[in-house]
Amino acid sequence: MIELTPLPMTEAKAFWADKVQLGPGEFAKLSAEAKVRAFAVSGIAKGEELNTVFTAMQRAIDQGTTLEQFKEECAGIFERRGWTGKRAWRIDNVFRTNIQTAYNVGQYKQLSEAGDALPIWKYSAINDRRTRPTHRAMDGRAWPANHPIWDTWFPPNGFRCRCSVVGLTEAQARREGIEVEEADPTNTLVEPTDPDTGARMPARQLLPDPGFAHNPGKVYWQGMGDAIADRLEHWQPPVRVQALRDLIEGPVFAHWLAQPEGNFPVGLIDEAAMARTGATVRTVRLPVETAGELADLGAERLGEVLGELAASTDGTLTTLVNGRAVRLRIEVRDGRPLVVVD
């Protein structure tokens, strides 16, 4: 039996630590997908107070502290804004929405890494009086793990959403009598059931809440390559080299390679190579189109090949892919060194 780790999980902690603090105005200008990587609280400007709230949330994710402890840590900030009494719901909203997002980002990564061992994903809602009717209508329904519905419906699907996704083996799905669906019901009409009376409620469109129709885990993990590459440029050389080695040899690169998007950092060039090629940064990136041509090498062998390419004196390397000779070279575009296939 495969078991997924509850919070605090490494993936959730890494996700939170990677967030960028923004003021409410800056945050509002971002797309829903870009907001996954940012942190803002309406009514709190970027600065010391926002950082206090951010740090308290980090502690909650790292150590599993409670909502009450979170309130105590930030009491002065919340009281100055009148978030007490009937307005205390705003604190609950900040805490629960961010905790659930971090959890589900980590859950998505663990489920994805399970691969063929958990080929079926089931939507799971809490099903009490607080559960939204549309979320209740999704409860217990299952689709293949690679079904596009998860690009829209992987939780959280609204503020303070408590839904989650459960991975199943085919045998588990059969035992539970679960029918694995292929059609995507998004935007169709559903008639949810009242949890108290069992009566049918008025029909409505089956949609996540506004602003939540995306998969935060997929947005974060597949788009993280470029973000990591940008951060590497600001680290000291020994740290930068070790961090890059850990990335390539660890599960992050393999996960990105399975579903590549954007670019991924794969090597470093020296100052002489920068001067020769006109590069403005040291980090060599693997674009998604090149990754597709080299994926058959596997993550471990590809990592070795790309390391050799970055260390080569002329920025070229020939390797075999399925018995075919493939010539790789480093090409600079907009100041960034990229791996391309001739």
Side-chain angles (χ1 to χ4, degrees):
M1 164 120 14
I2 293 177
E3 295 182 356
L4 300 180
T5 308
L7 275 177
M9 62 171 81
T10 302
E11 295 88 350
K13 290 190 286 187
F15 163 71
W16 189 261
D18 198 39
K19 275 183 173 282
V20 177
Q21 298 178 45
L22 296 176
E26 297 173 293
F27 187 79
K29 296 175 183 177
L30 300 178
S31 67
E33 290 79 7
K35 287 176 180 176
V36 170
R37 295 180 173 276
F39 175 74
V41 178
S42 179
I44 302 179
K46 182 180 178 181
E48 185 176 342
E49 288 189 323
L50 183 66
N51 188 59
T52 298
V53 178
F54 180 86
T55 302
M57 285 297 312
Q58 181 80 65
R59 256 190 295 277
I61 293 168
D62 290 352
Q63 303 171 16
T65 55
T66 65
L67 172 60
E68 291 308 313
Q69 290 170 311
F70 173 70
K71 288 179 179 178
E72 289 175 10
E73 286 189 58
C74 306
I77 297 171
F78 298 148
E79 288 170 4
R80 281 192 290 276
R81 285 158 180 79
W83 295 356
T84 58
K86 292 183 178 180
R87 297 188 69 198
W89 64 267
R90 297 190 63 170
I91 305 172
D92 183 88
N93 185 30
V94 171
F95 185 81
R96 295 190 188 282
T97 301
N98 283 291
I99 287 288
Q100 284 300 108
T101 300
Y103 170 80
N104 279 297
V105 166
Q107 185 81 338
Y108 172 79
K109 186 169 187 291
Q110 289 191 357
L111 286 168
S112 297
E113 288 179 349
D116 293 340
L118 295 174
I120 299 164
W121 292 1
K122 180 181 73 171
Y123 193 96
S124 179
I126 298 298
N127 284 337
D128 58 17
R129 296 189 67 181
R130 291 170 51 196
T131 305
R132 297 161 177 82
T134 48
H135 297 197
R136 187 181 301 112
M138 288 287 289
D139 181 58
R141 300 177 70 173
W143 288 267
N146 61 357
H147 196 285
I149 192 171
W150 301 117
D151 292 343
T152 303
W153 276 101
F154 203 97
N157 291 308
F159 291 111
R160 295 192 282 182
C161 171
R162 297 165 296 155
C163 298
S164 61
V165 172
V166 179
L168 301 171
T169 64
E170 292 181 354
Q172 287 172 326
R174 285 195 299 271
R175 282 198 300 270
E176 293 184 28
I178 292 174
E179 178 185 349
V180 181
E181 303 181 42
E182 290 294 340
D184 186 344
T186 304
N187 212 23
T188 60
L189 286 178
V190 294
E191 293 182 317
T193 302
D194 187 293
D196 294 328
T197 66
R200 290 285 184 184
M201 301 174 71
R204 65 202 68 199
Q205 287 178 301
L206 186 64
L207 291 168
D209 296 6
F212 286 86
H214 61 276
N215 181 336
K218 187 172 184 178
V219 168
Y220 176 70
W221 292 111
Q222 290 190 12
M224 71 182 302
D226 280 310
I228 293 172
D230 290 338
R231 288 205 306 276
L232 284 172
E233 293 298 321
H234 303 291
W235 293 350
Q236 293 299 313
V239 177
R240 184 166 53 209
V241 171
Q242 186 59 50
L244 186 59
R245 183 179 296 117
D246 291 343
L247 279 172
I248 298 300
E249 295 177 356
V252 176
F253 180 53
H255 179 82
W256 180 87
L257 193 61
Q259 296 178 301
E261 186 171 310
N263 305 300
F264 199 93
V266 293
L268 298 165
I269 58 174
D270 58 25
E271 291 184 4
M274 289 178 67
R276 185 178 68 252
T277 61
T280 56
V281 295
R282 293 178 181 273
T283 307
V284 180
R285 307 179 192 220
L286 178 67
V288 62
E289 58 269 21
T290 306
E293 294 193 50
L294 303 177
D296 286 345
L297 288 175
E300 183 176 356
R301 175 57 187 149
L302 179 54
E304 294 172 355
V305 168
L306 294 172
E308 294 169 10
L309 172 64
S312 65
T313 56
D314 63 352
T316 65
L317 181 75
T318 300
T319 189
L320 292 177
V321 181
N322 292 332
R324 178 174 60 92
V326 175
R327 184 173 184 271
L328 306 176
R329 62 183 172 85
I330 296 176
E331 178 180 295
V332 175
R333 300 175 187 170
D334 297 323
R336 293 179 172 183
L338 302 175
V339 179
V340 299
V341 176
D342 276 344

